Amino acid sequence: MTNLTDNMQTPGLDRLLAFTLKDRNAHGRMVRIGPVLDKILSAHDYEPAIRTLLAEALTLTALMGGLLKSEGSQLTMQAQTEDGIVELLVCDYRDGELRGYVKHDREQAVDIGANPSLPRLFGKGSLAITFEVASSGLRYQGIVPLEGRSLSEAVEAYFAQSEQVPTLIRAAVRTGPNGSTAGGLLLQHLAQGEEGRERLHVVPSHHEWEHVSILGRSIQDDELLDTSLSPEGLVWRLFHEEPEVRVQPTTPLTRGCRCSVVHFEEVLSRFPKEDRRDMRDENGIILVDCAFCSREFPIQD
């Protein structure tokens, strides 16, 4: 643990901060993304509304991925629809590495404006969030309807329904010709002594969580996007009256597309020979397209 004031004057982009409000039985994550966001978004010529959607999704993925503690663990968020403009949205986080991709109807996306509603983008869809814990080899997945005014609200609903953990999420995105910035805050209440007691989420009100969530809701988009204000400084602004705020050293974020010839060769080796034969072109090459980074890899089979 480090002192909250140690890095308050170091703004820093592409960083994830974990903190704990010990006396309130709560913990949180604060993230701000810049150059890494631009690298991921530049892989495809996304329309403005799709760029904003993917930026928000990457922010949420970083916040949730930051909840994983063991090295090599991965968080994957995937949204699929039946009749939406967006057909598939997928993002994942592993050890500070972020990647994401949106498959959508380009013709419809041109006419939807800069800030369409979640139903307008997705129609009827579902949200799947998967935690893969490297230390135990366990994999947890929850699937909920894709509902709410924003993707952030849909993720809050996931934690309420699947994890049954009181959660507050705030995310803000700014995209433009001079670069993109996104910031986010995640707060959660930690249940005390599950055995023999009501879980916190079924109690009509809990004074500790009510206090923390009120402070969390006071955060403004401009604060989340203010690159002159460090994540530590923003946590201090929100919770400086708390008796003790513990923070972990920040995690640097990078674009994490893990595609390579070696990786795709290993994946293709799992297919039967007959299937691989059908994939080859006239020169015996299997051309593999990575949607995350928009690159093609010729594999000699």
Side-chain angles (χ1 to χ4, degrees), residues 101-132:
Y101 167 68
V102 179
K103 181 181 179 182
H104 65 291
D105 186 318
R106 291 187 175 276
E107 291 185 4
Q108 292 189 64
V110 171
D111 301 322
I112 58 176
N115 295 292
S117 66
L118 198 65
R120 180 79 174 93
L121 283 167
F122 287 96
K124 182 180 180 181
S126 61
L127 177 69
I129 296 177
T130 306
F131 291 89
E132 299 177 63

Side-chain angles (χ1 to χ4, degrees), residues 123-176:
K124 182 180 180 181
S126 61
L127 177 69
I129 296 177
T130 306
F131 291 89
E132 299 177 63
V133 183
S135 59
S136 64
L138 295 177
R139 184 174 184 269
Y140 307 92
Q141 184 180 72
I143 302 176
V144 296
L146 194 55
E147 298 174 343
R149 293 172 296 178
S150 67
L151 198 57
S152 297
E153 284 192 6
V155 172
E156 281 187 345
Y158 160 80
F159 279 106
Q161 296 176 39
S162 294
E163 300 291 328
Q164 294 153 3
V165 176
T167 303
L168 172 72
I169 296 175
R170 290 292 181 268
V173 174
R174 180 174 59 229
T175 63

Side-chain angles (χ1 to χ4, degrees), residues 13 30-34 37 55-56 59-60 63 152 169-174 181-185 219-221 223-226 234:
L13 286 165
M30 183 78 73
V31 69
R32 189 174 292 123
I33 319 174
L37 190 59
E56 181 184 8
T59 302
L60 299 173
L63 291 171
S152 297
I169 296 175
R170 290 292 181 268
V173 174
R174 180 174 59 229
T181 305
L185 168 70
I219 200 167
Q220 302 296 311
D221 287 358
E223 293 176 297
L224 289 170
L225 298 172
D226 185 356
L234 189 45

Side-chain angles (χ1 to χ4, degrees), residues 13 18 24 44 46 64 70 84 86 115 118 137 139-140 152 193 219 224 274-275 283 291 295:
L13 286 165
R24 300 292 182 181
H44 297 275
Y46 292 118
M64 291 187 289
S70 61
V86 175
N115 295 292
L118 198 65
R139 184 174 184 269
Y140 307 92
S152 297
I219 200 167
L224 289 170
E274 295 77 12
D275 291 350
N283 299 313
R295 295 170 59 196

Side-chain angles (χ1 to χ4, degrees), residues 92-290:
D92 65 41
Y93 171 99
R94 187 176 71 183
D95 298 334
E97 296 182 345
L98 271 175
R99 62 179 182 173
Y101 167 68
V102 179
K103 181 181 179 182
H104 65 291
D105 186 318
R106 291 187 175 276
E107 291 185 4
Q108 292 189 64
V110 171
D111 301 322
I112 58 176
N115 295 292
S117 66
L118 198 65
R120 180 79 174 93
L121 283 167
F122 287 96
K124 182 180 180 181
S126 61
L127 177 69
I129 296 177
T130 306
F131 291 89
E132 299 177 63
V133 183
S135 59
S136 64
L138 295 177
R139 184 174 184 269
Y140 307 92
Q141 184 180 72
I143 302 176
V144 296
L146 194 55
E147 298 174 343
R149 293 172 296 178
S150 67
L151 198 57
S152 297
E153 284 192 6
V155 172
E156 281 187 345
Y158 160 80
F159 279 106
Q161 296 176 39
S162 294
E163 300 291 328
Q164 294 153 3
V165 176
T167 303
L168 172 72
I169 296 175
R170 290 292 181 268
V173 174
R174 180 174 59 229
T175 63
N178 297 321
S180 303
T181 305
L185 168 70
L186 179 150
L187 292 170
Q188 289 187 328
H189 205 291
L190 305 175
Q192 303 177 64
E194 296 288 339
E195 293 184 4
R197 299 180 57 181
E198 276 191 300
R199 290 184 60 95
L200 292 175
H201 77 283
V202 299
V203 177
S205 63
H206 191 284
H207 70 278
E208 290 177 347
W209 173 243
E210 183 178 0
H211 174 81
V212 171
S213 62
I214 288 173
L215 293 177
R217 289 189 183 93
S218 71
I219 200 167
Q220 302 296 311
D221 287 358
D222 288 346
E223 293 176 297
L224 289 170
L225 298 172
D226 185 356
T227 57
S228 68
L229 180 63
S230 69
E232 292 86 352
L234 189 45
V235 171
W236 175 257
R237 180 180 291 183
L238 287 174
F239 303 113
H240 64 275
E241 294 184 355
E242 294 302 308
E244 183 177 5
V245 182
R246 298 181 178 182
V247 299
Q248 298 282 355
T250 56
T251 300
L253 301 175
T254 61
R255 186 182 74 165
C257 194
R258 297 181 287 275
C259 57
S260 68
V261 170
V262 172
H263 170 70
F264 288 127
E265 285 178 340
E266 193 276 330
V267 172
L268 288 170
S269 69
R270 304 171 193 168
F271 287 82
K273 290 183 179 180
E274 295 77 12
D275 291 350
R276 296 203 307 273
R277 187 182 303 117
D278 293 338
M279 299 177 192
R280 300 173 192 156
D281 63 15
E282 62 274 13
N283 299 313
I285 300 295
I286 300 176
L287 196 61
V288 181
D289 178 25
C290 175

